[in-house]
Amino acid sequence: MICNGVFEGGGVKGIGLVGAVCAMEDAGYKFENVAGTSAGSIVASLLSVGYTGREIKDEMIKLDFSRLKGQTLLTHLGLPGKAIKLLLKNGVYDADYIRVWLEALLHKKNITRFGEIRAYHTHGHDSKYRFQAIASDLSGSRMLVLPRDLHVFGLAPDKFSIATAVRMSISIPVFYEPYILTDSDGKSHVIVDGGLLSNYPIWVLDNRKTNPIIPTFGFKFSSSTSEEPRQNDYNSVLSISDFTKAMIRTLLDAHDKHYISVSRGDFQRTITISTIINKNDKEHDISSVDFNISTEDMEALFDNGYRSAEKFLRTWDFDKWKRQYRNETFRTAS
């Protein structure tokens, strides 16, 4: 069974996405077109070049997450050095380790450029490529869908590096140095994490103008033990720490929550993965930047993703979904 997949950003929590992918593949699904933001773009890019979920898991388990905080001489000087690095580079850590790691994995499949993953069957979206990543252009105050929007910079999408597009998408503001992209006029654009504008871009693979031939599934995280997607949630803001966390959460989630709340059927095709794991008989919520995550915690997140997808597929009915959210719309419009 062919399907499309859209993967939310989530830093080190990305292994949970891989668990859900494995459950989908075990159920007979194969991903045709994929998209993602930040960590979701890593998973999506690897699927687009032919990796299976199990292969991605094996590579992630071997990954040294402590090196994701790319250290420099300044960051080794502690807080003062990190403050100087932030002032000089607009980011504390270097993200090149992730790019180099991903580039090596792409080379194993002999696919490194977008021109090598052209989409011959788009199934309801207008991209020419099987993989798309979301990034944020701070200089241009706009969202970027890569590689589609590379023409804005005078760049040829076919020749553009897949790993570089992912590097743009994962550039968590302040935490990582932004990626600097130079346009055809010689102007430098500061590119950061796509989650700033759309952390869950399920809209990118569905133009809503055609009745879909194959399903598009979304894979999203939740800091709840419930595996059901939530349209509304509430977080108390009682301290400066709460305020900061709430502000970041709103930046990452507000656009996508609004989109899902007014869209037809997106909630019903979203597989929600809990980031809560049981650790020493206590519930523990895995953070996106928990780079000291243990192998055991990674396995627990993977299992959360696998179970979530299994549960979702027990009641999923594509024909029923189309009758409820699409077929009637197209009959009315015709």
Side-chain angles (χ1 to χ4, degrees):
M1 295 174 283
I2 303 296
C3 67
N4 294 330
V6 178
F7 301 90
E8 185 182 42
V12 302
K13 297 182 290 188
I15 191 70
L17 301 173
V18 181
V21 166
C22 288
M24 301 293 291
E25 291 177 341
D26 287 349
Y29 282 94
K30 179 177 174 58
F31 291 92
E32 177 80 14
N33 303 299
V34 288
T37 300
S38 199
S41 73
I42 296 175
V43 174
S45 68
L46 292 173
L47 287 172
S48 75
V49 302
Y51 278 91
T52 66
R54 298 291 176 185
E55 288 175 327
I56 298 173
K57 180 191 178 186
D58 290 343
E59 296 296 343
M60 282 196 168
I61 291 293
K62 291 185 294 185
L63 182 62
D64 183 355
F65 278 82
S66 66
R67 293 187 64 186
L68 296 184
K69 291 194 295 185
Q71 300 284 354
T72 64
L73 178 60
L74 282 173
T75 55
H76 280 299
L77 296 177
L79 189 58
K82 291 176 181 178
I84 294 171
K85 178 75 181 299
L86 180 60
L87 289 173
L88 292 176
K89 296 289 187 177
N90 294 318
V92 176
Y93 298 108
D94 187 338
D96 276 349
Y97 175 73
I98 307 174
R99 183 190 59 77
V100 171
W101 171 78
L102 181 60
E103 189 80 48
L105 293 182
L106 297 176
H107 271 292
K108 286 184 180 180
K109 298 293 184 180
N110 294 314
I111 298 173
T112 60
R113 308 287 169 177
F114 278 100
E116 299 165 315
I117 54 167
R118 280 190 161 270
Y120 297 103
H121 304 286
T122 56
H123 301 300
H125 71 91
D126 56 5
S127 173
K128 297 178 181 178
Y129 305 92
R130 290 194 290 114
F131 163 59
Q132 297 176 82
I134 306 299
S136 304
D137 177 7
L138 296 186
S139 302
S141 302
R142 61 190 162 198
M143 181 190 303
L144 299 176
V145 179
L146 303 171
R148 184 190 72 188
D149 294 333
L150 288 171
H151 73 276
V152 174
F153 304 93
L155 298 171
D158 274 4
K159 299 178 180 179
F160 200 78
S161 162
I162 296 170
T164 299
V166 172
R167 163 66 176 88
M168 294 181 192
S169 185
I170 65 172
S171 306
I172 303 171
V174 178
F175 194 88
Y176 282 130
E177 292 179 32
Y179 188 89
I180 306 301
L181 187 65
T182 304
D183 64 23
S184 55
D185 294 326
K187 295 179 180 177
S188 296
H189 291 254
V190 177
I191 313 297
V192 298
D193 197 306
L196 195 66
L197 296 175
S198 185
N199 205 35
Y200 180 55
I202 194 167
W203 47 270
V204 80
L205 290 182
D206 189 348
N207 61 20
R208 287 179 164 72
K209 296 177 183 177
T210 55
N211 204 356
I213 299 172
I214 66 172
T216 294
F217 298 114
F219 299 83
K220 197 176 192 320
F221 293 109
S222 172
S223 57
S224 166
T225 53
S226 169
E227 293 176 347
E228 296 298 324
R230 296 184 299 168
Q231 287 181 312
N232 298 297
D233 56 5
Y234 172 80
N235 299 281
S236 61
V237 180
L238 302 176
S239 66
I240 187 61
S241 175
D242 290 340
F243 178 84
T244 303
K245 291 178 181 177
M247 181 174 62
I248 294 172
R249 188 165 47 242
T250 300
L251 282 171
L252 292 176
D253 295 341
H255 171 274
D256 298 317
K257 283 185 177 180
H258 172 73
Y259 178 83
I260 293 175
S261 70
V262 299
S263 65
R264 285 177 53 82
D266 283 346
F267 225 53
Q268 290 69 23
R269 57 178 174 175
T270 294
I271 297 165
T272 305
I273 302 163
S274 174
T275 58
I276 303 292
I277 65 170
N278 190 284
K279 194 171 182 179
N280 300 322
D281 296 323
K282 293 182 180 180
E283 288 187 349
H284 178 68
D285 187 8
I286 300 295
S287 162
S288 296
V289 291
D290 187 2
F291 295 120
N292 294 318
I293 187 170
S294 67
T295 301
E296 291 74 20
D297 289 352
M298 291 179 68
E299 290 284 0
L301 272 178
F302 177 90
D303 291 342
N304 282 2
Y306 196 98
R307 286 194 303 269
S308 294
E310 270 192 324
K311 181 178 179 180
F312 172 87
L313 289 174
R314 288 190 207 116
T315 58
W316 169 254
D317 185 325
F318 185 40
D319 289 332
K320 181 179 178 181
W321 183 88
K322 285 195 292 183
R323 286 195 301 272
Q324 186 168 357
Y325 298 107
R326 290 301 167 84
N327 290 3
E328 181 180 348
T329 301
F330 287 100
R331 284 198 300 270
T332 303
S334 60

